[in-house]
């Protein structure tokens, strides 16, 4: 899908916060992304859905430069991500990421996990960071668990710590890479509620997800990827009720 | 009594519960539980000791000094040599650990030349016989360094420290590399996406998690090294095995003295290294939980 107003943005207000243009990415001989474009504006919640192996995770990993790309462009707040002049650290201060496997630091307590990056990367004042961290933990409903180690928490709790940890850096965009895929059904909900509240607070969120109900409820824009292309995109209403592409229709008939 | 800890309703487990309770009592008596000898082990050891000295005593001619009195007489002399072994082992371990740590970190460098050369050095020293390395340092290095204004002596025992530290260095390098690579890649990625620099990722996130994984193999290598220090006798360092030979020579090369004397020294090494092996087991068990 191409976006119409890519170059016509006349001012910061209209400028997309993340802009992906004709992105190509291969792993060896396998081309995973074959020309993907999308614009994400501030405060938008975007869900990327699609069958396994369609390049969804690769796509969002490219946004914070965890993967490099073969051609095309990605810019975050006007800064080209895949250029030699990119300051990766600056980019990652703006873009938070939450992973499927939580990836909490097991040797640190919950509070330390959340405080670590602001203290050591942003060199912020410890007292301020602590106040913020405690607030964030409260927000993800984990107050009282500050001194636990990740191994003592359930998967859902760990994932919420991971969200709080990422938010502690005060990013402008949050990437969620199948964050509920490793969770059992009961804990999926607590994580989704957290993300929903985050979205309602105006955080720009890009999610790779298999939770159709959640996408329907929360997303402003849904992109459907298959075999490295975006085959369909639109608002949840349009996407779920008036899909045009046969692949989308087939996929939806299987998952809904 | 401590058997309340091991309550069981299954009759088949009762003997095991009883054994565990007895073990606990022994631990209580022996403190840290580093040796934890059972009655059976102690009696086997005692029988062995009596047998060896007894046989030797019986074989020795009547007009000569008794074996046990010889052992007692030479104990201070031998023990001094043994302490020297411990010193060499400690210094070689220290040096090997420092060098090996650096080499191991070089092995995960992103710069190909550093990565490959450190890999080569590691493999070279890891796959060389220790004695070869010892001979190498012994005969290839000068006995002193003349810096023009000052002459620094480089005695044999220091060369032995260096020679023994080389295989430790190589194995430590592998331990460090292996531990780092055993940490899930997601840890690196999570740290990376939080804008940590690579150096911070390594030192703040990855290495602290490696320490406990490295501890057990590290201690294991120390035990191996301690026993290998006797190799230094071959290159003439005045350590315990060299002194054993001197004792044998000074008593006129008595054949009946060989077995008890060596057994005596083996016992010392055992008493020193076995607790380390037990500590290693403890460390392994402790750190296996909750990772």
């Amino acid at each position: 899908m191409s976006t119409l107003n890519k170059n016509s943005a006349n001012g910061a207000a209209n400028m997309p916060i993340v802009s992906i243009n004709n992105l190509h990415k291969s792993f060896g001989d396998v081309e995973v992304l074959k020309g993907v474009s999308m614009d994400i504006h501030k405060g938008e919640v975007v869900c990327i859905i699609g069958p396994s192996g369609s390049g969804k995770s690769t796509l969002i990993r490219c946004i914070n430069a965890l993967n490099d790309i073969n051609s095309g462009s990605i810019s975050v707040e006007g800064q080209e991500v895949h250029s030699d002049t990119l300051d990766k650290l600056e980019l990652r201060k703006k873009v938070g990421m939450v992973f499927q496997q939580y990836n909490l630091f097991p040797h640190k307590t919950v509070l330390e996990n959340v405080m670590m990056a602001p203290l050591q990367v942003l060199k912020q004042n410890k007292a301020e960071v602590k106040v913020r961290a405690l607030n964030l933990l409260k927000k993800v409903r984990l107050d009282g668990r500050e001194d636990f180690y990740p191994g003592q928490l359930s998967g859902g709790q760990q994932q919420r710590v991971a969200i709080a940890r990422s938010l502690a850096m005060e990013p402008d965009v949050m990437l969620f890479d199948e964050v509920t895929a490793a969770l059992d059904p009961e804990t999926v909900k607590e994580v989704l509620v957290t993300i929903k509240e985050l979205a309602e607070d105006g955080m720009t969120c890009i999610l790779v997800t298999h939770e159709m109900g959640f996408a329907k409820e929360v997303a402003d824009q849904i992109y459907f990827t298959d075999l490295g292309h975006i085959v369909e995109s639109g608002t949840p209403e349009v996407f779920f009720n008036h899909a045009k592409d046969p692949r989308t229709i087939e996929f939806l008939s299987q998952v809904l | 009594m401590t058997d309340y800890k091991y309550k069981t309703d299954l009759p088949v487990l009762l003997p095991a519960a009883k054994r565990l309770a007895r073990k606990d009592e022994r631990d209580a008596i022996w403190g840290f539980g580093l040796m934890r000898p059972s009655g059976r082990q102690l009696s086997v050891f005692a029988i062995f000791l009596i047998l060896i000295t007894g046989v030797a005593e019986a074989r020795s001619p009547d007009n000569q000094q008794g074996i046990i009195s010889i052992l007692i007489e030479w104990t201070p002399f031998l023990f001094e040599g043994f302490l020297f072994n411990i010193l060499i082992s400690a210094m070689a371990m220290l040096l090997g650990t420092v060098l090996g740590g650096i080499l191991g970190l070089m092995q995960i460098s992103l710069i190909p030349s550093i990565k490959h050369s450190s890999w080569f050095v590691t493999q070279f020293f890891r796959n060389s016989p220790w004695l070869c390395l010892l001979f190498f340092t012994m005969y290839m290095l000068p006995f002193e360094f003349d810096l023009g204004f000052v002459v620094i002596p480089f005695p044999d025992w220091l060369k032995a420290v260096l020679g023994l530290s080389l295989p430790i260095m190589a194995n430590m390098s592998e331990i460090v590399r292996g531990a780092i690579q055993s940490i899930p890649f997601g840890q690196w990625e999570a740290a990376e996406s939080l804008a940590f620099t690579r150096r911070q990722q390594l030192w703040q996130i990855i290495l602290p998690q490696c320490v406990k994984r490295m501890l057990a193999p590290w201690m294991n290598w120390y035990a191996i090294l301690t026993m290998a220090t006797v190799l230094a006798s071959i290159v003439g360092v005045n350590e315990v095995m060299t002194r054993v030979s001197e004792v044998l020579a000074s008593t006129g090369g008595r054949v009946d003295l060989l077995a008890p004397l060596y057994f005596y020294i083996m016992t010392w090494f055992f008493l020193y290294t076995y607790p380390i092996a037990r500590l290693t087991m403890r460390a392994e068990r402790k750190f296996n939980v909750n990772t």
Side-chain angles (χ1 to χ4, degrees), chain B residues 98 137 139 157 174 215:
Chain B
V98 171
T137 49
Y139 300 120
W157 70 272
E174 282 296 86
L215 193 62

Side-chain angles (χ1 to χ4, degrees), chain A residues 49-81:
Chain A
I49 60 180
S52 309
S54 60
K56 310 181 294 290
S57 290
T58 308
L59 176 60
I60 70 166
R61 289 165 57 91
C62 288
I63 296 174
N64 74 342
L66 278 183
N67 286 348
D68 52 7
I69 64 174
N70 295 76
S71 69
S73 77
I74 301 175
S75 67
V76 174
E77 293 181 345
Q79 163 69 54
E80 177 55 44
V81 172

Side-chain angles (χ1 to χ4, degrees), chain A residues 61 92 104-107 120, chain B residues 187 189 192 200 204 209:
Chain A
R61 289 165 57 91
R92 287 170 184 153
L104 292 179
F105 306 135
H107 60 301
Q120 294 181 14
Chain B
Q187 292 288 313
E189 285 193 330
E192 206 179 336
Q200 284 175 324
Q204 308 285 344
Q209 296 183 53

